[in-house]
């Protein structure tokens, strides 16, 4: 059996089959998390009709927004708490429990007879998905060999958007929304398989064996030694997240505002270019890191996103085909930033608080994102149109750029030398 060596104080041989299992389980868990995150949105008209909730479009929009907001809120809380759980009980059990939890509550969603039960299950599904996104990248950053670590974590980052695409496919293949939510069986199978196929992070095991180090300030989440990295990581990840979701959520509406006729085809193509650009950027992000280094890669992504969003929203007063190119460029570096940040953030922290700190950095911005997506629409009238409103929120890329450029003393470390 071919083996690979992970860089660690004590060299540990890891079977290539074990690494393959880790990658496949993390990728599929992330992809199904993406599918489950949007599954209720695609089935919503059928669900409303089946439960005989309302025929009022305004009330329907309110219910939809309420369910989606609670899912995101559960996602954020899950990101925080599963990080703490992972640092306490280990990477492997935390990951498997998070996968299993969102699988169970996805199945239960399809069995609920009322909106109250569906809302509760969606919150808990989000809770599990948030944990998977944090613990999976933490585990990969500690187990995967350094030479190819950036490439494979970058590839993992495209799992979520692939899952979002798959939600539409599930909707087309399975007419019954209740049967559609039985897709949660697959994450349950992944969790059970992972019990036999995955190994625990050797770095986490070594950390836990050093009892005296647990009381060290570096292993306390909000200690002075970790505080600056927490703030920096939260700002960097949060600004990109806010900009991404503001643009993603309002792109079709902005496209329509540029045209006097129905822009159904243009709206659809713009979202396709946005999605494909993001997937390509995420897939290539690891190679970009290996070519330029983490810090220069992040600077490039933030700078291009800032310039591209300015060009997109400030120079287009009517629709033309060049908009597709501009969207693709913006999305390419959107996607690249997500892969790079998935690599960068966990490496800012010592093993004892790595998952907890990563959960904080990944999810602080998510709390603000829901408000931002709302205020883009609220500011349209005040700012004279969607272009100006989106341009204002795109300025967050400059905040992230400044954080990366000017805070030079926060540097990623090799997990193997930072127990």
């Amino acid at each position: 059996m071919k083996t690979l060596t992970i860089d660690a104080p004590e060299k540990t041989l890891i079977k290539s089959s074990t690494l393959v299992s880790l990658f496949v389980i993390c990728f599929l868990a992330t992809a199904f998390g993406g599918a489950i995150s949007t599954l209720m949105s695609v089935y919503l008209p059928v669900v409303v009709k089946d439960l005989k909730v309302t025929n009022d479009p305004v009330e329907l929009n309110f219910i939809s927004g309420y369910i989606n907001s609670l899912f995101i809120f559960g996602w954020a809380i899950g990101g925080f708490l599963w990080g703490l759980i992972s640092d306490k009980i280990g990477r492997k059990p935390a990951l498997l429990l998070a996968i299993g939890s969102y699988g169970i509550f996805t199945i239960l969603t399809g069995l609920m007879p009322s909106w109250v039960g569906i809302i509760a299950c969606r919150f808990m599904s989000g809770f599990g998905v948030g944990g998977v996104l944090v613990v999976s990248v933490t585990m990969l950053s500690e187990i995967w060999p350094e030479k190819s670590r950036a490439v494979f974590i970058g590839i993992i980052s495209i799992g979520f958007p692939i899952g979002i695409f798959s939600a539409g496919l599930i909707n087309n293949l399975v007419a019954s929304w209740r049967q559609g939510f039985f897709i949660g069986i697959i994450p349950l199978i992944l969790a059970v398989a992972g019990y036999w196929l995955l190994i625990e992070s050797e770095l986490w095991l070594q950390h836990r064996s050093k009892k005296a180090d647990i009381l060290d300030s570096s292993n306390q989440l909000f200690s002075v030694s970790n505080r600056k990295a927490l703030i920096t990581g939260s700002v960097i990840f949060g600004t990109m997240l806010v900009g991404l979701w503001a643009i993603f959520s309002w792109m079709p509406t902005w496209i329509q505002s540029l045209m006097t006729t129905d822009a159904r085809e243009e709206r659809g193509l713009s979202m396709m270019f946005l999605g494909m650009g993001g997937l390509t950027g995420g897939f290539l992000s690891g190679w970009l890191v290996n070519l330029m280094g983490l810090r220069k890669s992040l600077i490039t992504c933030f700078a291009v996103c800032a310039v591209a969003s300015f060009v997109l929203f400030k120079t287009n007063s009517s629709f033309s085909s060049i908009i597709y190119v501009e969207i693709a460029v913006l999305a390419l570096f959107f996607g690249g930033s997500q892969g790079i940040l998935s690599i960068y953030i966990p490496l800012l922290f010592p093993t004892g608080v790595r998952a907890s700190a990563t959960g904080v950095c990944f999810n602080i911005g998510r709390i603000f994102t829901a408000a931002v997506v709302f205020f883009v629409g609220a500011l349209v009238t005040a700012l004279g149109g969607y272009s100006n409103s989106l341009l204002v929120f795109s300025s967050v890329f400059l905040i992230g750029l400044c954080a990366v450029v000017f805070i030079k003393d926060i540097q990623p470390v090799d997990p193997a030398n930072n127990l």
Side-chain angles (χ1 to χ4, degrees), residues 95-388:
L95 177 63
L96 299 182
L97 287 171
I99 296 172
S101 67
Y102 85 67
I104 289 171
F105 284 101
T106 297
I107 295 170
L108 290 176
T109 301
L111 299 175
M112 288 296 113
S114 68
W115 276 115
V116 175
I118 287 176
I119 288 171
C121 287
R122 288 299 287 168
F123 175 87
M124 291 305 300
S125 295
F127 182 80
V129 169
V132 168
L133 298 183
V134 169
V135 181
S136 60
V137 296
T138 303
M139 194 169 183
L140 281 164
S141 71
E142 293 181 350
I143 293 179
W144 205 271
E146 183 181 7
K147 184 177 180 180
S148 58
R149 181 189 301 149
V151 171
F152 282 89
I153 293 180
I155 295 174
I156 287 288
S157 72
I158 72 172
F160 199 85
I162 287 177
I164 292 175
F165 173 83
S166 301
L169 183 62
I170 294 169
N171 178 63
N172 290 338
L173 295 176
V174 184
S176 168
W177 71 273
R178 294 191 182 278
Q179 292 179 9
F181 277 92
F182 285 167
I183 196 71
I185 292 173
I186 298 179
L188 281 179
I189 294 172
L190 282 177
V192 174
Y195 179 82
W196 303 105
L197 297 175
L198 298 185
I199 61 170
E200 182 57 88
S201 163
E202 185 66 26
L203 296 179
W204 182 84
L205 291 172
Q206 291 180 29
H207 163 74
R208 296 301 295 176
S209 68
K210 297 181 178 182
K211 301 296 185 182
D213 289 346
I214 297 175
L215 300 177
D216 187 87
S217 62
S218 66
N219 292 310
Q220 297 172 17
L221 181 58
F222 297 106
S223 67
V224 174
S225 59
N226 289 323
R227 200 173 299 155
K228 190 171 185 179
L230 273 172
I231 294 172
T232 304
S234 297
V235 168
I236 293 171
F237 194 89
T239 51
M240 185 58 75
L241 194 68
V242 166
L244 188 157
W245 276 97
I247 293 172
F248 180 85
S249 300
W250 289 95
M251 178 68 74
T253 307
W254 173 70
I255 293 290
Q256 183 63 64
S257 73
L258 299 178
M259 304 187 68
T260 56
T261 59
D262 179 45
R264 181 179 62 84
E265 182 178 348
E266 289 80 1
R267 294 196 310 269
L269 284 173
S270 68
M271 295 305 285
M272 289 174 65
F273 276 100
L274 194 64
M276 291 307 300
L279 288 172
T280 304
F283 183 82
L284 297 176
S285 60
W287 282 280
L288 182 63
V289 168
N290 287 344
L291 179 66
M292 301 179 65
L294 277 167
R295 190 163 175 272
K296 289 182 179 179
S297 299
L298 277 178
I299 290 173
T300 300
C301 285
F302 274 104
V304 173
C305 285
V307 172
S309 58
F310 177 85
V311 171
L312 180 63
F313 298 119
K314 198 62 179 175
T315 66
N316 294 294
S317 57
S318 61
F319 187 84
S320 65
S321 297
I322 192 66
I323 286 178
Y324 294 137
V325 178
E326 294 167 359
I327 289 173
V329 171
L330 178 61
L332 182 69
F333 287 88
F334 266 163
S337 72
Q338 296 305 292
I340 295 166
L341 288 168
S342 295
I343 303 162
Y344 180 81
I345 298 296
L347 300 184
L348 294 178
F349 304 98
T351 301
V353 296
R354 182 167 291 126
S356 304
T358 299
V360 171
C361 294
F362 278 15
N363 291 284
I364 285 290
R366 237 174 275 283
I367 296 173
F368 294 101
T369 297
V372 165
V373 171
F374 170 79
F375 278 111
V376 169
L379 288 176
V380 167
T381 302
L383 296 177
Y386 288 101
S387 293
N388 290 336

Side-chain angles (χ1 to χ4, degrees), residues 35-66:
I36 286 164
S37 71
T38 50
L39 201 57
M40 179 55 71
S41 296
V42 298
Y43 275 122
L44 187 63
V46 181
V47 176
V48 170
K49 183 179 179 180
D50 185 46
L51 296 180
K52 299 179 175 60
V53 178
T54 180
N55 292 320
D56 184 356
V58 175
E59 189 175 352
L60 176 61
N61 289 337
F62 173 79
I63 292 171
S64 176
Y66 191 58

